[in-house]
Amino acid sequence: MKKLFLLALSALLTAAGFAQSSKPTTGHVLDAQSGHPLPGIIVTVKSPLQKMVTDMAGKFMFKMPADSFTIEVQCIGYETLARRFSPKDAAFEIKMTPVKAALNEVVVTGYAPRLKKSLTAASVAYEGRAAMPAPMPRADYNTDEFNTINENAFHPARQRPLSTFSADVDRASYSVVRKMLNSGYLPPADAVRVEELINYFDYVYPAPVNNDPVAIHTDLAICPWNTQHQLVRIGIQGKKVPTDKLPASNLVFLIDVSGSMNQENRLPLVKQAFKALVQQLRPQDRVAIVVYAGAAGLVLPSTSGREKMKITEALEQLSAGGSTAGGAGIQLAYQTALEHFIKEGNNRVILATDGDFNVGVHSDGDLAKLVEAQREKGVFLSVLGFGMGNYKDNHLETLADKGNGNYAYIDNFEEARRTFVTEFGGTLFTIAKDVKLQVEFNPKIVQSYRLIGYENRLLNDADFNDDRKDAGDMGAGHTVTALYEIVPAGVTSPVTGTTDPLKYQPNTPTPEPGTFDGEVLTVKMRYKEPNGKKSRLVEKVLRSGARKIEECPEDFRLAASVAEFGMLLRNSAFSGRSSWEDAIRLAASARGEDPEGYRAEYLQLLKKAKVIREGIAKK
């Protein structure tokens, strides 16, 4: 009897001990070099056997075994690690070491590589297996990085009559915002660049005349979020060039195949995007492919656009693994582009990455200098961003700006199709470079003004006439739209921090009576031909006559709605009486012809943002 009692007591204690020790416990998987969390990683806890996958923070949950146990972690591009732990350990952290030679299957010679069976050390494990879908990132632990944006304030027209900025056609911010809203959360304020939201859409402006590659259009409305103010729209239209008239292209696809690209919305989407572009190529166009991870390699020498199957097959063989030697990849890509340089052609490197440069030349300053130097040789850089959770928007925006190229974020195949199919010419072929705008406001009519967006595109007034100063670029058929909110003379101005009147000279020379009556502002634009060194000047005057926004063209109503959308997302101090309802109303009235469905999609994004914001407010 005593023996049976002891056995029963032992069983109870064992069960109690297991129940107590099997409580949920958190582990963490990190990159040993960068310290970044590793999402989507397979983790195995042995004895008793448990299998799980890390979330976007690199975390995993498991039931604590009663005795010492082993955790095994497997990750493409990293060395498999098995580590012994005790229940008494304070933390269960695994640091993964990248495979030293992630590209050891690419043999680079002095001329061209010989492709073996795979393009990364871990590609066999990756090929033929569906990549694990990325969990939705959360703002409290993702490592996305965006440049800080300090919103433009109102400036008095009498003290500061000039506003100067670089024209820009990047649209990455809109795609980033769309990705986040579709994932169910609001973007951080610095991810919202209002001018990029506005310029995501196509607007209809008068075509250029007199052989100018660009033309200016202006109009004026009563500001919908402050009816005492007015809203100026400045539109620039680039000339459209038929595809068969575009110059020959010498392209280099520079593709990040590092471990961080090993997700379905990264490298597989990169392949889809570039395959769409390949289908647009002509026999006179050429493509080379450079990849980079732990090292950089040329996997396809410069090949004619007529060999679409060969180029596509090279793309299909790419796999992800290893750390990111971005600097070395860019250097090899530029070297390849220069070796096949086409005089008066389109010589361009197209970088596809999540921007997570963590090995080699990686500082913004070093990369910017490299890109600027190659730009002066006639090789431009366009940038495509992919993925979310460790996305480095700040790196990619800087590189595209310095490389005289555009910057797009590809969140789905439709965006890839738009970039490389629908807008093939505008994406790849520059018709005007170093495009600058300078607006002079008439203080007799305008008391103060505010440029909406373009915070990171502002120039000194003296830069406008300085042809050495780099600025934005426009592709064939592209448009650029800028909005100013102005306070008419006689209306109480929100200007703060004004300066005292000048003592030794008037703030503004007094014009002759009647001079420039009715002129609200003058827009001046400078641009250079793609291979030019000296800029040309175009001017346009905007006269008084603001209409109600409801009476303005659909395009103007859409731009006003998107401006409200951006300010609401940013919780802008300048949003006035903006509301989700008003932005939705304007967007609904501006649907018009929408063959690609982008305006309809925007209306749905507005409604999603409204619901998410209201949900946050109720918490």
Side-chain angles (χ1 to χ4, degrees):
M1 188 73 179
K2 182 178 180 181
K3 189 173 182 180
L4 288 172
F5 173 76
L6 291 174
L7 286 171
L9 179 62
S10 175
L12 285 170
L13 290 173
T14 300
F18 182 79
Q20 184 178 6
S21 63
S22 63
K23 62 182 179 180
T25 306
T26 301
H28 204 184
V29 181
L30 306 171
D31 183 297
Q33 293 183 353
S34 67
H36 292 167
L38 296 177
I41 306 306
I42 299 173
V43 179
T44 303
V45 177
K46 298 183 178 180
S47 184
L49 182 64
Q50 304 173 59
K51 283 201 171 188
M52 63 290 298
V53 176
T54 59
D55 63 14
M56 286 300 295
K59 294 180 181 178
F60 61 95
M61 299 287 290
F62 67 101
K63 292 184 177 181
M64 178 71 71
D67 299 314
S68 296
F69 59 95
T70 298
I71 296 181
E72 181 179 277
V73 182
Q74 295 177 313
C75 176
I76 295 172
Y78 292 83
E79 297 174 358
T80 298
L81 179 65
R83 183 177 167 188
R84 194 76 175 165
F85 287 93
S86 165
K88 297 180 180 179
D89 287 333
F92 302 92
E93 188 175 88
I94 306 288
K95 293 186 176 180
M96 302 293 288
T97 302
V99 176
K100 291 182 179 179
L103 284 173
N104 60 357
E105 292 297 324
V106 177
V107 182
V108 181
T109 69
Y111 301 97
R114 300 189 304 274
L115 286 178
K116 294 188 179 180
K117 291 183 180 180
S118 62
L119 294 173
T120 68
S123 64
V124 175
Y126 180 71
E127 287 295 337
R129 178 173 65 85
M132 200 151 316
M136 187 182 78
R138 287 185 357 214
D140 59 341
Y141 59 64
N142 70 36
T143 58
D144 300 331
E145 295 179 9
F146 301 91
N147 285 323
T148 301
I149 297 175
N150 296 311
E151 279 191 289
N152 293 325
F154 282 93
H155 298 296
R158 191 162 295 278
Q159 282 82 25
R160 294 185 58 175
L162 297 177
S163 173
T164 309
F165 64 98
S166 168
D168 187 79
V169 292
D170 288 345
R171 300 184 306 217
S173 181
Y174 185 89
S175 302
V176 168
V177 167
R178 177 176 61 198
K179 172 71 172 179
M180 293 180 176
L181 290 176
N182 283 336
S183 296
Y185 63 101
L186 295 175
D190 288 337
V192 182
R193 295 186 287 271
V194 182
E195 76 281 2
E196 293 189 21
L197 305 190
I198 294 170
N199 280 292
Y200 184 81
F201 299 93
D202 296 321
Y203 303 102
V204 180
Y205 297 125
V209 295
N210 301 325
N211 295 321
D212 285 327
V214 286
I216 306 174
H217 174 75
T218 59
D219 49 1
L220 187 64
I222 295 172
C223 184
W225 55 87
N226 190 332
T227 54
Q228 289 188 306
H229 297 179
Q230 295 176 354
L231 191 63
V232 174
R233 179 174 65 146
I234 299 172
I236 305 175
Q237 177 68 58
K239 70 177 179 181
K240 297 179 181 179
V241 181
T243 301
D244 59 351
K245 301 296 183 182
L246 293 170
S249 287
N250 163 37
L251 306 177
V252 179
F253 298 167
L254 174 57
I255 303 175
D256 181 352
V257 293
S258 62
S260 63
M261 294 290 287
N262 182 24
Q263 294 186 37
E264 189 64 29
N265 63 345
R266 302 191 187 187
L267 186 58
L269 186 54
V270 170
K271 294 180 184 180
Q272 285 187 302
F274 279 124
K275 284 190 286 186
L277 172 55
V278 169
Q279 298 308 310
Q280 310 306 308
L281 298 179
R282 305 157 300 175
Q284 63 266 38
D285 300 325
R286 305 191 65 82
V287 171
I289 300 177
V290 172
V291 296
Y292 65 94
L298 177 67
V299 301
L300 180 74
S302 188
T303 302
S304 168
R306 68 166 55 90
E307 298 189 66
K308 292 179 173 57
M309 184 64 70
K310 181 178 180 180
I311 301 170
T312 300
E313 287 176 351
L315 287 167
E316 284 290 353
Q317 295 182 67
L318 300 180
S319 300
S323 55
T324 313
I330 288 177
Q331 289 172 326
L332 179 57
Y334 276 126
Q335 176 187 332
T336 304
L338 288 171
E339 289 173 354
H340 301 276
F341 190 86
I342 300 175
K343 189 176 181 181
E344 297 185 357
N346 173 39
N347 299 279
R348 187 178 299 268
V349 172
I350 306 177
L351 168 63
T353 179
D354 59 9
D356 191 11
F357 296 93
N358 54 41
V359 176
V361 182
H362 64 280
S363 74
D364 282 353
D366 290 343
L367 285 172
K369 290 176 183 176
L370 173 65
V371 171
E372 284 177 328
Q374 299 301 325
R375 177 189 74 202
E376 297 306 313
K377 297 178 183 178
V379 180
F380 296 166
L381 175 70
S382 289
V383 179
L384 304 179
F386 294 82
M388 195 58 65
N390 67 331
Y391 187 63
K392 310 306 179 190
D393 175 90
N394 51 352
H395 287 189
L396 303 187
E397 184 188 17
T398 297
L399 292 179
D401 290 347
K402 301 298 182 182
N404 274 16
N406 39 21
Y407 166 39
Y409 175 75
I410 308 297
D411 57 330
N412 53 45
F413 180 67
E414 171 56 31
E415 188 64 22
R417 187 188 70 84
R418 178 182 183 179
T419 301
F420 285 142
V421 179
T422 308
E423 300 181 0
F424 174 65
T427 299
L428 295 181
F429 297 91
T430 300
I431 59 169
K433 68 178 183 180
D434 294 339
V435 182
K436 308 171 192 173
L437 290 173
Q438 186 168 79
V439 181
E440 181 180 355
F441 293 91
N442 181 357
K444 292 180 65 177
I445 293 179
V446 179
Q447 182 177 171
S448 61
Y449 64 88
R450 185 178 88 87
L451 175 61
I452 299 175
Y454 290 94
E455 285 85 0
N456 57 357
R457 310 292 181 184
L458 299 180
L459 297 173
N460 296 321
D461 293 339
D463 292 336
F464 182 72
N465 291 320
D466 186 353
D467 283 349
R468 297 169 299 177
K469 184 67 177 180
D470 181 57
D473 304 285
M474 289 192 65
H478 265 184
T479 62
V480 175
T481 297
L483 298 179
Y484 280 93
E485 182 178 350
I486 64 173
V487 181
V491 175
T492 302
S493 175
V495 172
T496 58
T498 57
T499 58
D500 293 333
L502 298 177
K503 179 179 179 181
Y504 298 108
Q505 62 184 23
N507 285 20
T508 304
T510 303
E512 292 294 326
T515 305
F516 311 129
D517 282 353
E519 292 190 7
V520 177
L521 56 83
T522 297
V523 183
K524 295 186 291 184
M525 177 177 63
R526 283 197 174 276
Y527 69 90
K528 297 175 188 170
E529 298 285 350
N531 297 310
K533 298 294 184 182
K534 186 173 179 58
S535 66
R536 298 182 182 181
L537 177 66
V538 180
E539 295 187 27
K540 178 78 172 182
V541 172
L542 172 64
R543 304 187 68 85
S544 298
R547 293 182 288 172
K548 293 180 180 179
I549 192 67
E550 293 79 9
E551 299 172 356
C552 292
E554 290 174 349
D555 283 357
F556 200 168
R557 298 201 299 273
L558 177 65
S561 171
V562 179
E564 284 196 76
F565 175 52
M567 290 189 293
L568 289 167
L569 288 174
R570 291 186 53 80
N571 286 321
S572 170
F574 304 101
S575 58
R577 292 193 295 271
S578 294
S579 68
W580 295 108
E581 290 78 10
D582 190 48
I584 290 170
R585 178 184 59 81
L586 280 174
S589 75
R591 286 279 293 271
E593 292 187 13
D594 187 24
E596 298 290 343
Y598 300 132
R599 298 188 183 198
E601 178 191 58
Y602 164 61
L603 187 56
Q604 295 304 312
L605 284 182
L606 270 172
K607 295 176 181 178
K608 289 178 184 178
K610 178 177 181 290
V611 169
I612 296 170
R613 177 74 78 189
E614 289 172 346
I616 294 172
K618 291 178 181 178
K619 290 183 180 180

